[in-house]
Amino acid sequence: MKHRLFTLVTLLISLTFTQLAAADAGTGATDAKEHAAIETAIQHYFHGSAYSDKTRLKQAFHKQARLYLEKNDQPYWEVTATDYINWYQEANQGQFNGRLGRILYIDREGNLATVKAEILMPAKQQRYIDMLLLKKLDGVWKILSKSAFGEASSHNGQRILFILSSAHFHGDSSLPTGVSFSEIVNAYDEFAKAGFSVDFVSPQGGALPLAYINTSQPMHKKYLYDSDFMYAISHTLTPEQVMAEDYRAVHYVGGTNAMYGVADNPLLQKISMAIYEQHGGIISAVCHGTAGIAHLRLQNGEYLVKGRRISGYPDEYEHPDRPYFKEFPFLITKTIEQRGGTFLYSPRNTPHIEIDGRIITGQNYLSSAGVARAMIDMLTKETAE
């Protein structure tokens, strides 16, 4: 009965996200084009304010735009776009001033859009939230108004890339599957508390199929009703949008759908190995997410897992008599061992974490937070050194 209930819940969640994705696709290329154009306007603002580039700022703001800011004991401070742009000295153009911008949310209705953006200034331990109103005028999206809120923050500006599968079904079957919600939020929460930013990428980008959601669990409820978080996982990046140099680590998230479309994706492989080999980053995985690292190769041609202690969801705990298992393109334990790795795990429902150099892996969702904490500890020590 428990298995049937899970299957039904997973199917409903998977179908819901499939319908959302289909609805997005049904609106045609127009919505995607407009979304990209809005992002372009915001990127003009991010770049212009970070590098004192007046040309980019003028591309971002309408000439009659107003900014509603705060200063000292003045809670309401109205500034014109011209005055704001002139704050940035031409002598400083091209010099990075420490501002790190990130879009948290975009909502568009016709030719109007609202954007919630985060501006981090780690050196000053400051974080700002910008609420921006944009309008499409003469075919171009422009910022009409900006209001900002600032606070002291421990955000460090360092980013972690979560790699997740886009697969809604097992293989070519109609058996539903999805990303483990527990594995996402348990790790995400640890990174957020430690001041790291997290981005999500999937083979197809866009909305993820989710599984194992239980709103009776406080951590699930916390993030299921967090609009910024849910926007991020319903608008995941495509591999083409990711720049490896932006990230300190990659984290492969499980759920049985991690068996499909991730391990054999050449762009995701390239991103992970660039972060690991070229930028000294960490590669991590949890549960079925370990499938994602099974095919990774070093520049010398050897498999990443060769000679390494690796954990993940063991083949022994699968159910070979069930239909889903017959769809698996390969087996995790068997493949890791064939490629020279040592696969280690503990009894069911027990956390198990392996740390072997800059490769950190965990057995199940119960290991997700521990893997994240091990990564944070390693990254923090590297920064301190």
Side-chain angles (χ1 to χ4, degrees):
M1 179 65 183
K2 184 177 179 181
H3 174 68
R4 290 179 180 175
L5 179 59
F6 160 70
T7 301
L8 177 59
V9 172
T10 303
L11 177 60
L12 290 173
I13 294 170
S14 181
L15 288 177
T16 297
F17 275 79
T18 301
Q19 290 166 353
L20 286 172
D24 286 342
T27 60
T30 300
D31 277 355
K33 182 179 179 180
E34 298 295 353
H35 193 279
I38 293 167
E39 287 187 336
T40 296
I42 301 303
Q43 291 301 328
H44 285 321
Y45 161 55
F46 287 162
H47 182 91
S49 59
Y51 291 92
S52 299
D53 189 333
K54 291 186 176 182
T55 299
R56 293 287 293 272
L57 287 171
K58 289 176 181 178
Q59 289 177 293
F61 288 92
H62 188 273
K63 60 183 179 181
Q64 294 180 322
R66 292 291 185 272
L67 291 81
Y68 304 95
L69 310 175
E70 302 174 6
K71 69 172 181 177
N72 302 326
D73 297 326
Q74 188 175 340
Y76 179 85
W77 179 30
E78 184 175 341
V79 178
T80 68
T82 300
D83 287 342
Y84 174 74
I85 293 170
N86 285 334
W87 289 352
Y88 295 92
Q89 301 296 316
E90 292 181 0
N92 297 326
Q93 184 171 341
Q95 300 177 27
F96 180 56
N97 60 21
R99 290 172 59 97
L100 300 171
R102 185 165 66 119
I103 294 173
L104 299 180
Y105 191 88
I106 296 176
D107 185 25
R108 183 183 71 86
E109 291 290 343
N111 63 355
L112 285 176
T114 56
V115 175
K116 182 178 181 180
E118 176 187 71
I119 305 294
L120 298 179
M121 301 187 72
K124 296 182 178 180
Q125 295 188 313
Q126 286 287 318
R127 176 178 184 260
Y128 296 91
I129 293 297
D130 288 350
M131 300 300 294
L132 305 161
L133 174 66
L134 292 87
K135 188 176 180 68
K136 188 177 182 181
L137 297 167
D138 297 324
V140 180
W141 286 93
K142 294 282 188 176
I143 299 172
L144 295 184
S145 70
K146 164 189 164 176
S147 188
F149 166 76
E151 61 182 355
S153 171
S154 61
H155 283 71
N156 57 34
Q158 299 181 53
R159 296 160 71 179
I160 311 297
L161 183 66
F162 278 31
I163 298 179
L164 315 100
S165 173
S166 301
H168 288 68
F169 300 96
H170 283 277
D172 296 324
S173 76
S174 59
L175 298 170
T177 184
V179 183
S180 169
F181 196 65
S182 290
E183 292 179 36
I184 300 175
V185 299
N186 289 349
Y188 180 92
D189 191 66
E190 295 294 332
F191 287 118
K193 290 187 298 185
F196 290 82
S197 298
V198 174
D199 291 334
F200 302 94
V201 63
S202 61
Q204 297 176 17
L208 296 173
L210 300 174
Y212 304 102
I213 293 179
N214 180 357
T215 54
S216 295
Q217 294 185 23
M219 188 71 75
H220 285 211
K221 178 177 283 188
K222 175 182 178 179
Y223 285 106
L224 186 65
Y225 298 112
D226 183 318
S227 60
D228 294 344
F229 174 81
M230 292 304 292
Y231 180 87
I233 64 172
S234 63
H235 293 79
T236 62
L237 301 171
T238 63
E240 292 82 0
Q241 293 175 294
V242 173
M243 298 180 66
E245 58 266 31
D246 290 340
Y247 299 95
R248 297 295 309 281
V250 294
H251 182 60
Y252 287 82
V253 181
T256 50
N257 78 333
M259 299 297 299
Y260 312 99
V262 174
D264 56 355
N265 185 293
L267 286 179
L268 291 177
Q269 291 175 344
K270 183 177 180 180
I271 290 167
S272 293
M273 296 315 298
I275 291 172
Y276 182 76
E277 292 192 295
Q278 298 173 29
H279 303 289
I282 295 171
I283 288 181
S284 65
V286 166
C287 200
H288 288 88
T290 297
I293 72 173
H295 301 336
L296 295 179
R297 290 179 183 265
L298 301 169
Q299 289 180 344
N300 63 11
E302 292 185 346
Y303 286 106
L304 174 71
V305 300
K306 181 179 179 181
R308 300 287 190 169
R309 301 187 311 276
I310 302 295
S311 190
Y313 198 77
D315 299 347
E316 183 180 344
Y317 293 167
E318 300 288 0
H319 300 280
D321 57 328
R322 293 181 182 173
Y324 84 91
F325 186 75
K326 297 177 174 58
E327 298 293 330
F328 278 5
F330 63 93
L331 302 180
I332 295 176
T333 304
K334 181 180 178 181
T335 303
I336 296 297
E337 291 178 341
Q338 285 178 338
R339 288 171 177 176
T342 300
F343 195 90
L344 302 168
Y345 59 96
S346 296
R348 292 178 184 272
N349 300 316
T350 302
H352 184 109
I353 299 166
E354 291 293 333
I355 304 172
D356 194 336
R358 289 182 288 114
I359 302 173
I360 304 176
T361 50
Q363 177 176 324
N364 48 29
Y365 78 95
L366 297 170
S367 309
S368 294
V371 167
R373 287 193 293 268
M375 295 169 68
I376 291 165
D377 183 60
M378 187 176 294
L379 292 170
T380 302
K381 286 181 179 177
E382 288 177 358
T383 301
E385 294 174 356

